[in-house]
């Protein structure tokens, strides 16, 4: 019986997988539109948290009009920003996905190891997301043109978003290539 050696690059399976790697990436990694829909769901969740919890608390403590010098540094903007970044950082760190990604069947994965590190999550969800938002969200469009559908924030952290149902297939392809 013919067995597949791990390092045998002349095996037909290795050649087939190698020649179709672009098509495999399209099947395994989440493209722009599922990620966009997940992001919209996340924004609705964050808006809900701010509307139901944060604003009433600020009103209760008479801080709804409080600000430092300019409106950008208002108590409302600061707490909204904290909720926004905490939501993405904590859910990605603990669950590898935000609620939007969970609903869409997506998760964040590390391209350099098996588990997401704290550093990767902070770079991806805080620094990378802040930079993308600072440029009016245009860096998110990079997802449309990259091999693994990575955004700028994914490149900062060596991560990508994968379709959960394709996780095992990706591992099998990875094994076939090594």
């Amino acid at each position: 019986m013919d067995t597949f050696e791990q390092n045998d690059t002349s095996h037909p399976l290795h050649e087939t997988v190698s020649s179709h790697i672009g098509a495999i990436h399209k099947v395994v990694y989440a493209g722009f539109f599922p990620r966009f829909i997940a992001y919209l769901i996340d924004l609705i969740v964050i808006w809900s948290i701010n509307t139901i919890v944060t604003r009433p608390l600020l009103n209760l403590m008479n801080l709804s009009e409080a600000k430092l010098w300019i409106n950008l540094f208002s108590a409302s903007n600061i707490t909204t920003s904290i909720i926004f970044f905490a939501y993405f950082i904590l859910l990605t760190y603990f669950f590898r996905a935000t609620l939007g990604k969970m609903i869409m069947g997506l998760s964040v994965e590390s391209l350099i190891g098996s588990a997401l590190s704290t550093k990767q999550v902070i770079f991806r969800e805080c620094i990378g997301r802040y930079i993308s938002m600072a440029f009016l969200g245009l860096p998110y469009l990079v997802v449309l043109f990259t091999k693994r559908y990575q955004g700028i924030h994914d490149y900062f952290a060596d991560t990508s978003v994968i379709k959960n149902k394709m996780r095992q297939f990706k591992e099998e392809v990875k094994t076939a290539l090594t």
Side-chain angles (χ1 to χ4, degrees), residues 130-147:
Y130 181 80
I131 290 170
S132 292
M133 290 170 30
F135 291 102
L136 304 174
L138 292 175
Y140 287 123
L141 295 176
V142 171
V143 171
L144 290 166
F145 307 105
T146 58
K147 181 172 76 168

Side-chain angles (χ1 to χ4, degrees), residues 10 49 62 70 76 85 88 99 115 123 147 151 155 165 171:
S10 65
I49 292 169
N62 273 342
I70 58 175
S76 178
F85 287 110
F88 282 102
L99 292 175
F123 267 84
K147 181 172 76 168
Y155 277 108
K165 62 184 176 184
E171 292 304 318

Side-chain angles (χ1 to χ4, degrees), residues 59-76:
N59 286 334
L60 185 67
M61 297 186 303
N62 273 342
L63 292 174
S64 59
E65 300 298 321
K67 63 182 176 182
L68 297 172
W69 306 296
I70 58 175
N71 287 334
L72 181 65
F73 298 120
S74 68
S76 178

Side-chain angles (χ1 to χ4, degrees), residues 43-63:
L43 291 180
I44 291 169
V45 170
I46 293 167
W47 175 81
S48 299
I49 292 169
N50 283 321
T51 302
I52 295 169
V53 178
T54 307
R55 288 189 189 135
L57 282 176
L58 289 175
N59 286 334
L60 185 67
M61 297 186 303
N62 273 342
L63 292 174

Side-chain angles (χ1 to χ4, degrees), residues 8-45:
D8 184 11
T9 59
S10 65
H11 192 278
L13 178 60
H14 186 277
E15 293 171 14
T16 302
V17 169
S18 296
S19 65
H20 293 90
I21 197 71
I24 291 170
H25 283 173
K26 287 182 181 182
V27 171
V28 172
Y29 294 100
F32 177 79
F33 291 105
R35 291 174 68 162
F36 181 68
I37 292 169
Y39 185 66
L40 290 178
I41 293 168
D42 292 331
L43 291 180
I44 291 169
V45 170

Side-chain angles (χ1 to χ4, degrees), residues 44-136:
I44 291 169
V45 170
I46 293 167
W47 175 81
S48 299
I49 292 169
N50 283 321
T51 302
I52 295 169
V53 178
T54 307
R55 288 189 189 135
L57 282 176
L58 289 175
N59 286 334
L60 185 67
M61 297 186 303
N62 273 342
L63 292 174
S64 59
E65 300 298 321
K67 63 182 176 182
L68 297 172
W69 306 296
I70 58 175
N71 287 334
L72 181 65
F73 298 120
S74 68
S76 178
N77 282 346
I78 291 170
T79 55
T80 299
S81 295
I82 290 169
I83 298 290
F84 180 86
F85 287 110
Y87 171 84
F88 282 102
I89 290 169
L90 293 174
L91 286 174
T92 302
Y93 182 75
F94 288 111
F95 302 107
R96 297 174 65 150
T98 59
L99 292 175
K101 285 184 184 74
M102 289 178 200
I103 290 169
M104 296 300 294
L106 310 174
S107 60
V108 179
E109 76 163 16
S110 173
L111 297 177
I112 57 173
S114 59
L116 288 171
S117 69
T118 305
K119 177 182 166 186
Q120 283 179 301
V121 172
I122 289 175
F123 267 84
R124 181 182 199 280
E125 301 300 346
C126 192
I127 298 167
R129 200 168 290 279
Y130 181 80
I131 290 170
S132 292
M133 290 170 30
F135 291 102
L136 304 174

